[in-house]
Every structure is written in structure tokens, then in C-alpha cells.
Amino acid sequence: MAGTGTADLTYQARSTTGKAVVVKAAALPWHKTVDVPLGKEPIVSIVLGAKGGQARCTLAIRGHHVQSATATGAFGRATCSGPVPAAQADQN
């Protein structure tokens, strides 16, 4: 996440419960690398607070840019998501 100030963030990561992780008042800029459960689409959401501002989420899957979005203004929201490509067989 790019930006200044703080934002509430939600992302899906591998866990036994399969629940999303919520980070309240994360200091921006913010970066996290996670493993996504097989068969699930990675998703990252931003919600700005009452003071507003601007924050950008960027999603990369296996090192390739997939999507970016910008949240602006009071309680601005943005979401980034994208499909995970099928696993590739080893090519020896």
C-alpha cells in the first residue's frame, strides 16, 4: 500500500480457518507478502478513516502486477483482486 497516514486493511492469507486478516490503522506505506489458499482469489481492501487522504493498493501474483486501485477522501475505499494461475508442472 502506498500513501501516508493510516488505513484499515483486509487481506486473505493462508490459514486453517480461511478467514480474512484485518489490520486496523496500519501505518502507510505498508507491504506484506502472503500465501493464498489454493482455489481462492487473492483480495486486498483499503478503507480510509474520517480524515480521508489517499492510498493505493497494488496486487502482484507470482511477481507479476495484476491490479492496482486508489482510495481517496473521507472513508474512501479500494479493492484489488485477481485470479491465481494454475500450478505449472516441472519442466526438466
Side-chain angles (χ1 to χ4, degrees):
M1 305 287 168
T4 58
T6 63
D8 292 342
L9 313 171
T10 305
Y11 64 91
Q12 179 69 47
R14 181 170 287 175
S15 70
T16 56
T17 63
K19 292 184 179 181
V21 175
V22 177
V23 180
K24 295 284 188 179
L28 301 176
W30 184 86
H31 178 266
K32 178 90 173 167
T33 300
V34 298
D35 291 325
V36 177
L38 293 174
K40 300 291 184 184
E41 185 172 285
I43 186 166
V44 178
S45 299
I46 305 168
V47 179
L48 298 175
K51 292 182 181 180
Q54 182 173 331
R56 172 179 287 281
C57 67
T58 302
L59 178 66
I61 298 175
R62 296 184 180 156
H64 299 284
H65 174 79
V66 175
Q67 186 179 46
S68 62
T70 303
T72 59
F75 303 106
R77 296 174 180 263
T79 301
C80 292
S81 64
V84 175
Q88 298 176 355
D90 287 335
Q91 297 178 1
N92 294 332

